[in-house]
Structure formats: C-alpha cells, structure tokens
Amino acid sequence: MTEQEEGPLLRPYTITRGRTRPTGPEFDLMTIIRTAPAAYRGVSGLAPEHWRILQLCRGPSSVADLASELGLSLNVVRILLSDLRDQGLITARPPATVAQLPEERLLREVIQGLQAL
C-alpha cells in the first residue's frame, strides 16, 4: 500500500487521536450544535478541525450537516464534537419533536393576543 492510499485511513485516526467513540452521550444525526459563548474567550490548543466546527456552528447546525460540510465521517465528527462539548465550547440540543411543539390552540391564543395589541 502506498502512502497516498493510506492517507484517507490515517487521517481520521490522526484527527481523533486514535479514539473510536465520543465521550458522554451520543450525538444524534439531527442534534443541533451551536458555538457556546466560552468559545470566544481566546481558547487555544485546538486542532484545525475543532476550529472549523466552531466557525460553522456560529449559527445552528445539525451533526449531519457538519459531517457533510467537513467531509468527515459521522463518527469522527461526533468524536470532535465530544471534545468541544467536554471543554464547554459548544451547546447541543436534540431536534424538536412533535411532542415538544406547542399545541395549535396555544399558538392561536398567542396570535390573538398579539393582534389585540
């Protein structure tokens, strides 16, 4: 095997420092990631991939979107996200589910209240 052929296999191993699992709870494909305020306080010692994630997550981004944008496997992205989460540099929240959405009745009452103003 040539060095050029080994590149794609070696790079994820290098990026994750040999780790194969993220720390803490798993990130779902649709988990919404945002850069936390702590990330803007002169953090140092991060890999370029970590910095790229922080830049991409200035606005909300899903784990699947990040993997696509970075050109990395989902598992590698999940490991990098766990690094950032462990340092308090990102926030992660699950996507809204139908059960979490407000009832139509409540939304109508809010609209009526706003129209009454």
Side-chain angles (χ1 to χ4, degrees):
M1 190 177 271
T2 68
E3 185 175 327
Q4 193 171 22
E5 292 171 339
E6 291 175 6
L9 296 175
L10 183 60
R11 187 168 182 257
Y13 180 84
T14 304
I15 291 171
T16 63
R17 291 174 275 155
R19 294 169 295 148
T20 59
R21 296 188 189 275
T23 59
E26 284 277 332
F27 291 96
D28 182 79
L29 284 175
M30 298 310 295
T31 298
I32 304 301
I33 308 296
R34 288 204 66 150
T35 301
Y40 300 106
R41 295 189 198 121
V43 177
S44 62
L46 295 176
E49 293 80 11
H50 289 114
W51 284 113
R52 182 77 177 122
I53 290 171
L54 292 176
Q55 290 172 344
L56 291 171
C57 293
R58 288 184 177 177
S61 188
S62 72
V63 173
D65 290 338
L66 288 171
S68 176
E69 185 71 30
L70 294 166
L72 297 171
S73 74
L74 282 168
N75 196 49
V76 169
V77 171
R78 286 174 172 146
I79 292 168
L80 295 174
L81 289 172
S82 72
D83 293 343
L84 295 170
R85 178 179 55 196
D86 291 348
Q87 295 180 48
L89 301 178
I90 60 166
T91 60
R93 70 168 176 80
T97 62
V98 175
Q100 294 173 322
L101 297 175
E103 294 180 22
E104 183 179 344
R105 177 191 56 77
L106 178 61
L107 293 174
R108 288 189 190 281
E109 289 176 14
V110 169
I111 290 170
Q112 289 172 353
L114 290 172
Q115 289 173 339
L117 295 175

PDB file of all heavy atoms in Angstrom, residues 8-22:
ATOM      1  N   PRO A   8      -6.373   8.473   3.449  1.00  0.00           N
ATOM      2  CA  PRO A   8      -7.741   8.522   3.958  1.00  0.00           C
ATOM      3  C   PRO A   8      -7.958   7.695   5.217  1.00  0.00           C
ATOM      4  O   PRO A   8      -8.791   8.011   6.038  1.00  0.00           O
ATOM      5  CB  PRO A   8      -8.569   7.974   2.799  1.00  0.00           C
ATOM      6  CG  PRO A   8      -7.734   8.208   1.587  1.00  0.00           C
ATOM      7  CD  PRO A   8      -6.311   8.081   2.059  1.00  0.00           C
ATOM      8  N   LEU A   9      -7.198   6.606   5.391  1.00  0.00           N
ATOM      9  CA  LEU A   9      -7.346   5.791   6.590  1.00  0.00           C
ATOM     10  C   LEU A   9      -6.612   6.405   7.776  1.00  0.00           C
ATOM     11  O   LEU A   9      -7.065   6.343   8.904  1.00  0.00           O
ATOM     12  CB  LEU A   9      -6.819   4.377   6.343  1.00  0.00           C
ATOM     13  CG  LEU A   9      -7.558   3.559   5.304  1.00  0.00           C
ATOM     14  CD1 LEU A   9      -6.845   2.234   5.076  1.00  0.00           C
ATOM     15  CD2 LEU A   9      -8.990   3.335   5.711  1.00  0.00           C
ATOM     16  N   LEU A  10      -5.477   6.981   7.521  1.00  0.00           N
ATOM     17  CA  LEU A  10      -4.658   7.539   8.579  1.00  0.00           C
ATOM     18  C   LEU A  10      -5.237   8.845   9.121  1.00  0.00           C
ATOM     19  O   LEU A  10      -5.216   9.094  10.310  1.00  0.00           O
ATOM     20  CB  LEU A  10      -3.235   7.764   8.067  1.00  0.00           C
ATOM     21  CG  LEU A  10      -2.225   8.275   9.076  1.00  0.00           C
ATOM     22  CD1 LEU A  10      -2.099   7.276  10.213  1.00  0.00           C
ATOM     23  CD2 LEU A  10      -0.884   8.475   8.410  1.00  0.00           C
ATOM     24  N   ARG A  11      -5.806   9.676   8.255  1.00  0.00           N
ATOM     25  CA  ARG A  11      -6.274  10.989   8.665  1.00  0.00           C
ATOM     26  C   ARG A  11      -7.339  10.931   9.771  1.00  0.00           C
ATOM     27  O   ARG A  11      -7.188  11.589  10.786  1.00  0.00           O
ATOM     28  CB  ARG A  11      -6.781  11.766   7.457  1.00  0.00           C
ATOM     29  CG  ARG A  11      -7.129  13.188   7.802  1.00  0.00           C
ATOM     30  CD  ARG A  11      -7.341  14.006   6.539  1.00  0.00           C
ATOM     31  NE  ARG A  11      -7.616  15.379   6.895  1.00  0.00           N
ATOM     32  CZ  ARG A  11      -8.812  15.929   6.885  1.00  0.00           C
ATOM     33  NH1 ARG A  11      -9.858  15.217   6.510  1.00  0.00           N
ATOM     34  NH2 ARG A  11      -8.998  17.177   7.227  1.00  0.00           N
ATOM     35  N   PRO A  12      -8.419  10.159   9.627  1.00  0.00           N
ATOM     36  CA  PRO A  12      -9.399  10.106  10.730  1.00  0.00           C
ATOM     37  C   PRO A  12      -8.782   9.607  12.030  1.00  0.00           C
ATOM     38  O   PRO A  12      -9.094  10.111  13.104  1.00  0.00           O
ATOM     39  CB  PRO A  12     -10.472   9.141  10.219  1.00  0.00           C
ATOM     40  CG  PRO A  12     -10.377   9.231   8.744  1.00  0.00           C
ATOM     41  CD  PRO A  12      -8.926   9.456   8.449  1.00  0.00           C
ATOM     42  N   TYR A  13      -7.887   8.628  11.939  1.00  0.00           N
ATOM     43  CA  TYR A  13      -7.215   8.106  13.130  1.00  0.00           C
ATOM     44  C   TYR A  13      -6.406   9.217  13.792  1.00  0.00           C
ATOM     45  O   TYR A  13      -6.407   9.361  15.012  1.00  0.00           O
ATOM     46  CB  TYR A  13      -6.307   6.941  12.728  1.00  0.00           C
ATOM     47  CG  TYR A  13      -5.560   6.330  13.884  1.00  0.00           C
ATOM     48  CD1 TYR A  13      -6.168   5.363  14.673  1.00  0.00           C
ATOM     49  CD2 TYR A  13      -4.267   6.730  14.195  1.00  0.00           C
ATOM     50  CE1 TYR A  13      -5.493   4.803  15.748  1.00  0.00           C
ATOM     51  CE2 TYR A  13      -3.581   6.174  15.268  1.00  0.00           C
ATOM     52  CZ  TYR A  13      -4.203   5.209  16.029  1.00  0.00           C
ATOM     53  OH  TYR A  13      -3.537   4.662  17.090  1.00  0.00           O
ATOM     54  N   THR A  14      -5.740  10.023  12.980  1.00  0.00           N
ATOM     55  CA  THR A  14      -4.930  11.124  13.495  1.00  0.00           C
ATOM     56  C   THR A  14      -5.809  12.220  14.089  1.00  0.00           C
ATOM     57  O   THR A  14      -5.519  12.741  15.165  1.00  0.00           O
ATOM     58  CB  THR A  14      -4.049  11.711  12.365  1.00  0.00           C
ATOM     59  OG1 THR A  14      -3.271  10.665  11.810  1.00  0.00           O
ATOM     60  CG2 THR A  14      -3.140  12.796  12.884  1.00  0.00           C
ATOM     61  N   ILE A  15      -6.871  12.567  13.393  1.00  0.00           N
ATOM     62  CA  ILE A  15      -7.765  13.634  13.857  1.00  0.00           C
ATOM     63  C   ILE A  15      -8.357  13.288  15.218  1.00  0.00           C
ATOM     64  O   ILE A  15      -8.472  14.147  16.092  1.00  0.00           O
ATOM     65  CB  ILE A  15      -8.895  13.881  12.835  1.00  0.00           C
ATOM     66  CG1 ILE A  15      -8.326  14.492  11.562  1.00  0.00           C
ATOM     67  CG2 ILE A  15      -9.975  14.792  13.414  1.00  0.00           C
ATOM     68  CD1 ILE A  15      -9.321  14.566  10.418  1.00  0.00           C
ATOM     69  N   THR A  16      -8.749  12.040  15.405  1.00  0.00           N
ATOM     70  CA  THR A  16      -9.398  11.622  16.661  1.00  0.00           C
ATOM     71  C   THR A  16      -8.400  11.132  17.698  1.00  0.00           C
ATOM     72  O   THR A  16      -8.788  10.716  18.779  1.00  0.00           O
ATOM     73  CB  THR A  16     -10.415  10.502  16.398  1.00  0.00           C
ATOM     74  OG1 THR A  16      -9.728   9.368  15.891  1.00  0.00           O
ATOM     75  CG2 THR A  16     -11.503  10.951  15.455  1.00  0.00           C
ATOM     76  N   ARG A  17      -7.118  11.185  17.369  1.00  0.00           N
ATOM     77  CA  ARG A  17      -6.044  10.702  18.243  1.00  0.00           C
ATOM     78  C   ARG A  17      -6.278   9.245  18.640  1.00  0.00           C
ATOM     79  O   ARG A  17      -6.072   8.849  19.782  1.00  0.00           O
ATOM     80  CB  ARG A  17      -5.896  11.598  19.461  1.00  0.00           C
ATOM     81  CG  ARG A  17      -5.342  12.980  19.086  1.00  0.00           C
ATOM     82  CD  ARG A  17      -5.317  13.909  20.234  1.00  0.00           C
ATOM     83  NE  ARG A  17      -6.656  14.509  20.296  1.00  0.00           N
ATOM     84  CZ  ARG A  17      -7.196  14.993  21.391  1.00  0.00           C
ATOM     85  NH1 ARG A  17      -6.549  15.000  22.506  1.00  0.00           N
ATOM     86  NH2 ARG A  17      -8.408  15.500  21.362  1.00  0.00           N
ATOM     87  N   GLY A  18      -6.760   8.459  17.660  1.00  0.00           N
ATOM     88  CA  GLY A  18      -6.943   7.027  17.857  1.00  0.00           C
ATOM     89  C   GLY A  18      -8.240   6.633  18.544  1.00  0.00           C
ATOM     90  O   GLY A  18      -8.506   5.449  18.712  1.00  0.00           O
ATOM     91  N   ARG A  19      -9.033   7.598  18.949  1.00  0.00           N
ATOM     92  CA  ARG A  19     -10.291   7.265  19.637  1.00  0.00           C
ATOM     93  C   ARG A  19     -11.345   6.814  18.637  1.00  0.00           C
ATOM     94  O   ARG A  19     -11.398   7.310  17.520  1.00  0.00           O
ATOM     95  CB  ARG A  19     -10.802   8.472  20.424  1.00  0.00           C
ATOM     96  CG  ARG A  19      -9.857   8.813  21.575  1.00  0.00           C
ATOM     97  CD  ARG A  19     -10.170  10.146  22.199  1.00  0.00           C
ATOM     98  NE  ARG A  19      -9.925  11.179  21.200  1.00  0.00           N
ATOM     99  CZ  ARG A  19     -10.597  12.303  21.117  1.00  0.00           C
ATOM    100  NH1 ARG A  19     -11.551  12.568  21.946  1.00  0.00           N
ATOM    101  NH2 ARG A  19     -10.309  13.191  20.182  1.00  0.00           N
ATOM    102  N   THR A  20     -12.187   5.895  19.052  1.00  0.00           N
ATOM    103  CA  THR A  20     -13.241   5.391  18.175  1.00  0.00           C
ATOM    104  C   THR A  20     -14.637   5.713  18.683  1.00  0.00           C
ATOM    105  O   THR A  20     -15.609   5.440  18.005  1.00  0.00           O
ATOM    106  CB  THR A  20     -13.120   3.866  17.990  1.00  0.00           C
ATOM    107  OG1 THR A  20     -13.218   3.239  19.279  1.00  0.00           O
ATOM    108  CG2 THR A  20     -11.812   3.491  17.325  1.00  0.00           C
ATOM    109  N   ARG A  21     -14.715   6.282  19.878  1.00  0.00           N
ATOM    110  CA  ARG A  21     -16.026   6.625  20.452  1.00  0.00           C
ATOM    111  C   ARG A  21     -15.966   8.002  21.102  1.00  0.00           C
ATOM    112  O   ARG A  21     -14.973   8.360  21.738  1.00  0.00           O
ATOM    113  CB  ARG A  21     -16.435   5.617  21.516  1.00  0.00           C
ATOM    114  CG  ARG A  21     -16.649   4.238  20.979  1.00  0.00           C
ATOM    115  CD  ARG A  21     -17.240   3.348  22.067  1.00  0.00           C
ATOM    116  NE  ARG A  21     -17.255   1.976  21.659  1.00  0.00           N
ATOM    117  CZ  ARG A  21     -18.225   1.424  20.934  1.00  0.00           C
ATOM    118  NH1 ARG A  21     -19.226   2.143  20.541  1.00  0.00           N
ATOM    119  NH2 ARG A  21     -18.167   0.157  20.611  1.00  0.00           N
ATOM    120  N   PRO A  22     -17.068   8.745  20.992  1.00  0.00           N
ATOM    121  CA  PRO A  22     -17.120  10.041  21.686  1.00  0.00           C
ATOM    122  C   PRO A  22     -17.307   9.828  23.183  1.00  0.00           C
ATOM    123  O   PRO A  22     -17.767   8.771  23.620  1.00  0.00           O
ATOM    124  CB  PRO A  22     -18.346  10.729  21.080  1.00  0.00           C
ATOM    125  CG  PRO A  22     -19.160   9.645  20.476  1.00  0.00           C
ATOM    126  CD  PRO A  22     -18.241   8.508  20.172  1.00  0.00           C
TER     127      PRO A  22
END
